[in-house]
Amino acid sequence: MDSVDFNTHEKFKNFPPLYTEQINNLTLSKQLEIWHKIINDEVTANYSLHKLGTASVNFPPFKNEEILRNVDVSFLALILGYLVEKQYAFYLHPIQFFCKKNNVSIWGALFLKKSHKGSTLYQIHQDYTKALNSKDNKVEGDEIESLKKKRNLLLKSKFNFGVFPYPLTEMANSVLECIKSQCTTRDIETVYHIFYSKRECNKDFNKFPEENLAFILSYLCVNNKLTLSFNDSVPLDSLNNKNVGLQLL
C-alpha cells in the first residue's frame, strides 16, 4: 500500500503560521492537507500517533518547542475531523464512552448487542458520524465550513480518534490478507494468534493498538468478510484478544 505523498510538508514544520488555524478557507484547506501528511508520516514511519485526542496538543508534532508554537484544541479537532473525512481516522471517544457505560472491554463491546454481534464498534462510529452530519452541520459545496460546524460539536466533549496509516478500506484489506495468510474458512483462530503472536506474517500488526484493530474487525463483520466469536465463560469486562476468535466467511 502506498502512503500519502510526503514531498511537500517537511519544510512547514518550523513555520509558525502552520500552528494557527487560518481564516481563509482555501489556505486552511492546504493547511489541513499538510497536517494530514505530518501525522501520516509519524504513523507510518515511526509507528506512533495511532490514537490522538484533546491532550495531544501538549506533545509533538502539535507542540513545537523549537519555535514555541502549538496547535490549540479547537484546531486539533478540525484536523482530526478532516482525517475522518478522508477515511484515515475514526471516532474513538463514543466507543470508549460505550465501553465505560456498559462496563465492557473493547473486545467485550463487540458482543454486548447480540443483534449486532461483531459490528457494534463500527455501528457506534457510524451513528456518531450520522449525528455530526445532520442537516444543520452541512454547508453544501463547502467541505471546510461543514468541518467547522462538526468541530463545534466535537468540542463539547473530550474527544479521541483512532488513526490509520492508510484509508480504512485499505487497512481492512491488509487485515484480511493477514488473516487469510494464516487460516482458511474452516479455521477459527484467536485475534492474539493472528495479529499479536510476533511472527513474520503478522509483524505489521504487533504494535497496532487493540482499539484500532477491533474497529477494523468490526468493519469487516459489517461487510460480511468474517465472523467473530468469544469464550462465553469470560465476562465481557475481562474479554481480551486471546478470548476472541475469528473465522473467514
Side-chain angles (χ1 to χ4, degrees):
M1 294 181 292
D2 294 326
S3 58
V4 173
D5 177 19
F6 298 144
N7 292 331
T8 61
H9 72 284
E10 285 290 342
K11 61 185 178 183
F12 289 103
K13 284 186 175 180
N14 288 329
F15 184 53
L18 178 67
Y19 297 83
T20 302
E21 182 179 332
Q22 299 302 301
I23 297 174
N24 180 277
N25 279 357
L26 182 59
T27 304
L28 179 56
S29 178
K30 296 293 184 182
Q31 189 180 16
L32 291 172
E33 184 180 338
I34 291 168
W35 272 113
H36 179 192
K37 292 176 180 179
I38 290 172
I39 294 168
N40 192 260
D41 197 4
E42 295 291 330
V43 173
T44 55
N46 301 323
Y47 222 85
S48 60
L49 302 188
H50 282 110
K51 290 187 286 185
L52 293 171
T54 310
S56 300
V57 295
N58 298 314
F59 304 97
F62 307 106
K63 184 174 184 178
N64 188 327
E65 297 281 8
E66 188 175 344
I67 60 172
L68 301 178
R69 290 288 190 277
N70 66 280
V71 168
D72 64 23
V73 171
S74 178
F75 187 26
L76 180 61
L78 191 70
I79 293 168
L80 297 179
Y82 177 83
L83 292 188
V84 172
E85 292 294 314
K86 301 302 178 185
Q87 299 290 304
Y88 278 79
F90 67 97
Y91 298 111
L92 180 57
H93 55 279
I95 293 173
Q96 292 173 326
F97 177 78
F98 178 87
C99 291
K100 184 176 182 180
K101 179 182 177 182
N102 293 284
N103 191 31
V104 293
S105 69
I106 192 70
W107 298 106
L110 289 165
F111 304 100
L112 188 62
K113 294 184 177 181
K114 293 183 179 180
S115 59
H116 297 289
K117 188 174 73 171
S119 65
T120 306
L121 303 186
Y122 185 69
Q123 191 61 53
I124 293 170
H125 166 78
Q126 288 295 87
D127 290 345
Y128 190 81
T129 300
K130 188 180 294 184
L132 289 181
N133 285 338
S134 67
K135 290 182 179 179
D136 292 339
N137 296 325
K138 282 190 175 181
V139 180
E140 290 299 329
D142 195 328
E143 179 189 18
I144 299 300
E145 285 301 321
S146 294
L147 281 172
K148 287 179 179 179
K149 285 181 173 290
K150 295 174 192 176
R151 181 259 305 275
N152 294 339
L153 290 178
L154 281 172
L155 290 174
K156 292 181 179 180
S157 60
K158 185 178 180 180
F159 57 81
N160 282 301
F161 290 69
V163 181
F164 302 128
Y166 308 100
L168 176 58
T169 52
E170 290 187 36
M171 287 300 305
N173 287 336
S174 181
V175 166
L176 201 56
E177 288 305 311
C178 183
I179 298 170
K180 288 179 178 179
S181 71
Q182 300 175 71
C183 59
T184 69
T185 54
R186 295 189 299 273
D187 302 320
I188 298 178
E189 292 287 358
T190 66
V191 171
Y192 173 81
H193 176 77
I194 296 292
F195 298 102
Y196 295 114
S197 56
K198 295 186 178 180
R199 292 173 293 140
E200 182 65 24
C201 57
N202 61 22
K203 63 181 180 180
D204 291 338
F205 293 98
N206 287 166
K207 298 179 181 179
F208 201 59
E210 294 195 33
E211 294 96 329
N212 297 35
L213 178 61
F215 179 81
I216 294 171
L217 293 177
S218 183
Y219 171 81
L220 289 170
C221 282
V222 169
N223 287 279
N224 298 314
K225 298 297 183 181
L226 56 81
T227 183
L228 296 173
S229 58
F230 71 105
N231 183 344
D232 56 12
S233 67
V234 180
L236 293 182
D237 63 339
S238 302
L239 209 64
N240 60 43
N241 58 36
K242 293 182 178 180
N243 311 130
V244 176
L246 55 83
Q247 184 176 22
L248 292 167
L249 292 177

